[in-house]
Amino acid sequence: MIILVGGEKGGSGKSCLAQNIAVYLRTEEEGNVLMVDCDPQRTTSDWVQERCSNPQLPHINCIQLYGKIRNELLSLRERYDYLVIDCGGQDNLALRSSMAVADHVLVPLRPKRRDLKTVEHMEDIVSTCQMVNPNMNMAFVITQCPSLPSLAPRILEAKEVCRSYGLPVLDAVTYSRNMYDDSEESGMSVMESEPDGKCATEIRQIIHELLYRGQRGNHEPAELEAKIALVQ
């Protein structure tokens, strides 16, 4: 299985999501996982290096690939249970090459105007890649959300922007919490730092919904708002 976390907008938490997804698949699914870092900033590569310095943490392999990487990914797919790809915040060859072969594509967006402006261009990229990869399961996820209940409408509005382009968006979201940064700095996932914490719950909800979204129905805004309050 190939899982791509990517998008056009930087700063939306792509590396953080990719890292936590990889740890989940490695520890809770007991899979053989390879992370593919396509971001020149090497955020995930540095995270893996930090992780390797702690012998108590389950090891996760990581390589760096750039440019037209479709054939490399298809080859690696035969050797690992899961490939988790971290693509940088821009439209480039690595993003499109990965999307052309990925089973699941997760595109994080913050509920901010400058992030939502990229939805139209992402719709064009997704449509193009679906011509060669029609079975691709793609979804947006709203990240780094404000936790104040009075700001919940921003989250719902962001989801509606995604849907207005005919693109799916997960019910699950992440909130702006220090635990995400603290875990990343120590080479860990939030599920390892605080297994029963709110961040761990958010990550598991995202993974479960992404992988099994086809088995769920659509929810009305009122139901979405109730889910948001529950996660908080």
Side-chain angles (χ1 to χ4, degrees):
M1 182 184 294
I2 299 177
I3 302 173
L4 165 65
V5 183
E8 189 181 0
K9 190 72 182 72
S12 57
K14 288 181 289 296
S15 296
C16 178
L17 280 174
Q19 293 157 14
N20 279 278
I21 290 171
V23 171
Y24 174 90
L25 296 173
R26 173 67 178 84
T27 60
E28 301 193 21
E29 296 294 335
E30 299 182 346
N32 186 14
V33 179
L34 174 68
M35 296 205 72
V36 181
D37 190 353
C38 301
D39 189 345
Q41 295 184 13
R42 293 172 44 91
T43 303
T44 286
S45 297
D46 292 342
W47 173 80
V48 169
Q49 185 175 2
E50 181 66 30
R51 184 178 182 85
C52 288
S53 67
N54 186 344
Q56 296 182 348
L57 297 176
H59 182 70
I60 295 177
N61 291 314
C62 180
I63 64 171
Q64 297 168 17
L65 293 176
Y66 306 103
K68 296 180 180 180
I69 62 175
R70 178 180 180 274
N71 291 337
E72 289 93 331
L73 294 176
L74 291 175
S75 177
L76 291 166
R77 185 182 202 165
E78 302 300 318
R79 298 162 49 192
Y80 292 88
D81 299 323
Y82 302 99
L83 300 184
V84 180
I85 306 169
D86 174 17
C87 264
Q90 56 183 312
D91 178 10
N92 55 27
L93 287 174
L95 176 64
R96 291 178 181 254
S97 296
S98 301
M99 200 174 289
V101 297
D103 299 290
H104 301 280
V105 176
L106 188 62
V107 181
L109 292 173
R110 294 168 296 183
K112 297 182 178 182
R113 188 181 301 269
R114 58 181 177 270
D115 283 39
L116 298 175
K117 284 182 178 180
T118 68
V119 174
E120 182 176 7
H121 189 212
M122 283 305 305
E123 189 276 332
D124 179 65
I125 297 174
V126 170
S127 297
T128 300
C129 292
Q130 282 179 330
M131 294 179 185
V132 296
N133 186 12
N135 295 322
M136 175 182 68
N137 171 39
M138 174 270 172
F140 287 104
V141 61
I142 309 303
T143 58
Q144 302 176 23
C145 296
S147 57
L148 289 175
S150 61
L151 297 179
R154 289 189 181 183
I155 306 171
L156 298 174
E157 290 168 7
K159 293 182 178 184
E160 287 306 313
V161 169
C162 297
R163 293 194 184 99
S164 71
Y165 286 91
L167 296 172
V169 57
L170 301 185
D171 292 343
V173 302
T174 69
Y175 289 88
S176 181
R177 306 188 196 276
N178 292 333
M179 178 57 66
Y180 285 109
D181 290 335
D182 294 344
S183 297
E184 184 172 354
E185 289 177 2
S186 59
M188 301 175 69
S189 75
V190 295
M191 292 163 288
E192 293 165 323
S193 298
E194 198 172 88
D196 298 321
K198 293 180 179 179
C199 292
T201 298
E202 292 168 6
I203 292 296
R204 290 190 180 99
Q205 287 178 337
I206 287 171
I207 295 171
H208 293 169
E209 190 177 357
L210 177 69
L211 299 184
Y212 307 111
R213 185 164 47 88
Q215 301 174 12
R216 299 169 59 122
N218 292 326
H219 300 279
E220 295 299 324
E223 294 178 273
L224 291 173
E225 193 162 358
K227 284 177 175 289
I228 290 171
L230 181 62
V231 172
Q232 290 176 347

Coordinates of all heavy atoms in Angstrom, one line a residue, residues 5 16-17 24-25 37 61 63 67 70 78 96 100 103 109 115 119 121 131 133 145 151 162 187 202 204 209 216:
V5 N 1.1 11.7 1.6 CA 0.7 12.9 2.3 C 1.4 14.1 1.6 O 2.6 14.3 1.7 CB 1.1 12.9 3.8 CG1 0.5 14.2 4.5 CG2 0.6 11.7 4.5
C16 N 4.3 16.0 9.8 CA 3.8 15.5 11.1 C 2.8 14.3 10.8 O 2.9 13.3 11.5 CB 3.2 16.6 11.8 SG 2.4 16.1 13.4
L17 N 1.9 14.5 9.9 CA 0.9 13.5 9.6 C 1.6 12.2 9.1 O 1.2 11.1 9.5 CB -0.1 14.0 8.6 CG -1.2 14.9 9.2 CD1 -2.1 15.5 8.0 CD2 -2.1 14.1 10.1
Y24 N 2.0 4.5 13.3 CA 0.8 3.7 13.5 C 0.9 2.4 12.7 O 0.6 1.3 13.3 CB -0.4 4.5 13.1 CG -1.7 3.7 13.1 CD1 -2.5 3.7 14.2 CD2 -2.2 3.0 12.0 CE1 -3.7 3.0 14.3 CE2 -3.3 2.2 12.0 CZ -4.1 2.2 13.2 OH -5.2 1.5 13.2
L25 N 1.2 2.5 11.4 CA 1.3 1.3 10.6 C 2.4 0.3 11.1 O 2.3 -0.9 11.0 CB 1.5 1.7 9.2 CG 0.4 2.5 8.5 CD1 0.9 3.0 7.1 CD2 -0.9 1.7 8.4
D37 N 10.9 10.5 1.8 CA 11.0 11.9 2.0 C 11.3 12.6 0.7 O 12.4 12.5 0.1 CB 12.1 12.2 3.0 CG 12.0 13.7 3.5 OD1 11.2 14.5 2.9 OD2 12.8 14.0 4.4
N61 N 12.5 2.7 8.5 CA 13.4 3.1 7.4 C 12.9 4.3 6.6 O 11.7 4.6 6.5 CB 13.6 1.9 6.4 CG 14.3 0.8 7.0 OD1 15.3 1.0 7.7 ND2 13.8 -0.4 6.8
I63 N 14.1 6.9 3.0 CA 14.9 7.2 1.9 C 14.4 8.6 1.3 O 13.3 9.0 1.6 CB 14.9 6.2 0.8 CG1 13.6 6.0 0.2 CG2 15.5 4.8 1.4 CD1 13.6 5.1 -1.0
G67 N 11.9 14.2 -7.9 CA 11.6 14.2 -9.4 C 10.7 13.1 -9.8 O 9.7 12.8 -9.1
R70 N 8.0 7.6 -10.0 CA 7.0 6.6 -10.1 C 7.6 5.2 -10.2 O 7.1 4.3 -9.4 CB 6.2 6.9 -11.4 CG 5.1 5.8 -11.7 CD 4.3 6.2 -13.0 NE 3.3 5.2 -13.2 CZ 3.5 4.1 -13.9 NH1 4.7 3.8 -14.3 NH2 2.5 3.2 -14.1
E78 N 7.0 -3.5 -3.8 CA 7.1 -5.0 -3.8 C 7.9 -5.5 -2.5 O 7.8 -6.7 -2.2 CB 7.8 -5.5 -5.0 CG 7.1 -5.1 -6.3 CD 5.7 -5.7 -6.4 OE1 5.5 -6.8 -6.0 OE2 4.7 -4.9 -6.8
R96 N 3.3 14.7 -8.3 CA 2.4 14.1 -9.3 C 2.8 12.7 -9.6 O 1.9 11.8 -9.9 CB 2.5 14.9 -10.6 CG 1.9 16.3 -10.5 CD 2.0 17.2 -11.7 NE 1.4 18.5 -11.6 CZ 0.2 18.8 -12.2 NH1 -0.4 18.0 -12.9 NH2 -0.3 20.0 -12.0
A100 N 0.3 9.4 -8.9 CA -0.1 8.6 -10.1 C -0.1 7.1 -9.7 O -0.6 6.3 -10.4 CB 0.9 8.8 -11.2
D103 N -2.2 4.5 -3.4 CA -3.5 4.0 -3.1 C -4.4 5.0 -2.3 O -5.6 5.1 -2.6 CB -3.3 2.7 -2.2 CG -2.6 1.6 -3.0 OD1 -3.1 1.1 -3.9 OD2 -1.4 1.4 -2.6
L109 N -4.9 20.7 5.0 CA -5.1 22.2 4.8 C -5.5 22.8 6.2 O -6.2 22.2 6.9 CB -6.3 22.4 3.9 CG -6.1 22.1 2.4 CD1 -7.5 22.3 1.7 CD2 -5.0 23.0 1.7
D115 N -4.6 28.9 2.6 CA -4.6 27.5 2.4 C -5.7 27.1 1.4 O -5.5 26.3 0.5 CB -4.7 26.7 3.7 CG -3.3 26.7 4.4 OD1 -2.6 27.7 4.5 OD2 -3.0 25.6 5.0
V119 N -7.1 24.9 -3.1 CA -8.0 23.8 -3.4 C -8.3 23.7 -4.9 O -8.3 22.6 -5.4 CB -9.3 24.0 -2.6 CG1 -10.3 22.9 -3.0 CG2 -9.0 23.9 -1.1
H121 N -6.4 24.5 -7.5 CA -5.3 23.9 -8.2 C -5.1 22.4 -7.8 O -4.8 21.6 -8.7 CB -4.0 24.7 -7.9 CG -2.9 24.3 -8.7 ND1 -1.6 24.3 -8.3 CD2 -2.8 23.9 -10.0 CE1 -0.8 23.9 -9.3 NE2 -1.5 23.6 -10.3
M131 N -6.6 10.2 -14.0 CA -6.7 9.6 -15.4 C -5.8 8.4 -15.5 O -6.1 7.4 -16.2 CB -6.3 10.6 -16.4 CG -7.3 11.8 -16.5 SD -6.7 13.0 -17.8 CE -8.0 14.3 -17.5
N133 N -4.6 6.9 -12.6 CA -4.7 6.1 -11.3 C -6.2 6.3 -10.8 O -6.5 6.9 -9.8 CB -3.8 6.7 -10.3 CG -3.7 5.9 -9.0 OD1 -4.3 4.8 -8.9 ND2 -3.1 6.4 -7.9
C145 N -6.4 23.1 13.7 CA -7.7 23.9 13.9 C -7.6 24.6 15.2 O -7.1 24.1 16.2 CB -8.9 22.9 13.9 SG -9.1 22.2 12.3
L151 N -15.0 29.2 17.3 CA -14.3 29.2 16.0 C -14.6 27.9 15.2 O -14.1 27.8 14.1 CB -12.8 29.4 16.2 CG -12.4 30.7 16.8 CD1 -10.8 30.8 16.9 CD2 -12.9 31.9 16.0
C162 N -13.8 22.7 0.3 CA -13.3 21.5 -0.4 C -14.4 20.8 -1.1 O -14.2 20.4 -2.3 CB -12.7 20.6 0.6 SG -11.2 21.2 1.5
G187 N 11.6 12.6 17.8 CA 11.6 11.5 16.9 C 10.5 10.5 17.2 O 10.6 9.3 16.9
E202 N -6.9 11.9 17.6 CA -7.1 12.6 16.3 C -6.4 11.8 15.2 O -7.0 11.6 14.1 CB -6.5 14.0 16.4 CG -7.3 14.9 17.3 CD -6.6 16.2 17.6 OE1 -5.6 16.5 17.0 OE2 -7.2 17.0 18.4
R204 N -5.5 8.6 15.0 CA -6.2 7.3 14.7 C -7.5 7.5 14.0 O -7.8 6.8 13.0 CB -6.5 6.6 16.0 CG -5.2 6.0 16.7 CD -5.6 5.1 17.9 NE -4.4 4.6 18.5 CZ -3.9 5.1 19.7 NH1 -4.5 6.1 20.3 NH2 -2.8 4.6 20.2
E209 N -10.5 6.8 9.1 CA -11.4 7.3 8.1 C -10.9 7.3 6.7 O -11.6 7.1 5.7 CB -11.8 8.7 8.5 CG -13.0 9.3 7.7 CD -13.5 10.7 8.1 OE1 -12.9 11.2 9.1 OE2 -14.3 11.2 7.5
R216 N -18.3 4.6 5.0 CA -19.0 5.6 5.9 C -19.9 6.4 5.0 O -19.7 6.7 3.9 CB -18.1 6.5 6.6 CG -17.1 5.7 7.6 CD -16.1 6.7 8.1 NE -16.7 7.8 8.8 CZ -16.4 8.1 10.0 NH1 -15.6 7.4 10.7 NH2 -16.9 9.2 10.6

